[in-house]
Amino acid sequence: MSARHLVLVGLMGAGKTTVGQQCARLLDRSFVDTDETIVATTAMTVAEIFASQGEAHFRELERRAVADVCASPEPLVIACGGGAVLDPENRARLHSAGLVVWLQAPPDVLVARVGNDTGRPLLRNGGAATLERLALLRAPAYEAAADVIVDTAGRSIDEVAALVVEQWSDQCHTCG
Ligand code: S3P
């Protein structure tokens, strides 16, 4: 396998950012979150981009962020925004640039984790119903993107990160 980056995908609340930061520490790599890249380049929050320019514009920025981060010569740990894998171009890029790990959890666990977060525009009309719907709608895209699935329910960040790194070592012992 030619994977270099370790890529985390999954729904909002799956733990991509916190687990990704811990994996980066364990692997002694830099961590990049595509949402944070977008926020840094636009100087706007994700919620502001959705409100002022719409979701389609956000997805375009996300496509660029995914392409840029995949092209990094430095092997990274990458957390993708929850909707990034809906785009087939993103899926193909991520797949050829690294090992893609789907952090999975049932919707009730995701709801408990995201709480009343106002920074996620897609959840503003009710997190529970939206996450239930997105879980069904997006499962095929996560499945298509993922090389590996890690169940995060009932596990701490450290436990999930350790499992992810274990998978990484098993599947990518020859990767940079
Ligand atoms: C989104 C997930 C968010 C962010 C945006 C849209 C989605 O990222 O990209 O609010 O479509 O699932 P997180 O998954 O990091 O919360």
Side-chain angles (χ1 to χ4, degrees):
M1 181 186 279
S2 62
R4 295 173 299 112
H5 302 311
L6 170 58
V7 181
L8 302 180
V9 301
L11 280 170
M12 294 171 272
K16 302 177 295 287
T17 303
T18 43
V19 168
Q21 285 167 338
Q22 177 63 5
C23 290
R25 274 191 286 274
L26 293 171
L27 294 170
D28 196 21
R29 289 180 167 211
S30 301
F31 170 74
V32 177
D33 183 309
T34 58
D35 282 345
E36 282 169 17
T37 306
I38 294 166
V39 168
T41 49
T42 59
M44 292 170 85
T45 66
V46 171
E48 284 166 352
I49 298 168
F50 267 69
S52 66
Q53 289 157 310
E55 181 172 351
H57 183 70
F58 174 79
R59 297 298 173 197
E60 184 50 45
L61 296 171
E62 187 172 57
R63 200 171 297 123
R64 262 182 258 163
V66 167
D68 286 351
V69 76
C70 283
S72 164
E74 180 192 348
L76 300 167
V77 176
I78 301 167
C80 288
V85 298
L86 296 175
D87 180 321
E89 195 178 310
N90 287 344
R91 283 204 297 274
R93 272 219 172 87
L94 292 165
H95 196 72
S96 60
L99 183 81
V100 181
V101 179
W102 175 13
L103 297 185
Q104 226 180 22
D108 59 317
V109 172
L110 300 172
V111 171
R113 288 189 193 145
V114 296
N116 292 323
D117 185 356
T118 52
R120 290 179 165 110
L122 293 182
L123 300 183
R124 66 183 176 274
N125 294 325
T130 305
L131 282 164
E132 292 261 5
R133 188 174 52 80
L134 291 181
L136 283 175
L137 207 66
R138 292 181 174 179
Y142 291 126
E143 194 139 5
D147 297 302
V148 171
I149 299 174
V150 170
D151 183 2
T152 70
R155 294 190 162 122
S156 69
I157 289 159
D158 284 353
E159 286 168 338
V160 176
L163 281 173
V164 171
V165 168
E166 196 180 302
Q167 290 287 341
W168 169 262
S169 311
D170 284 353
Q171 311 233 3
C172 274
H173 53 278
T174 57
C175 305

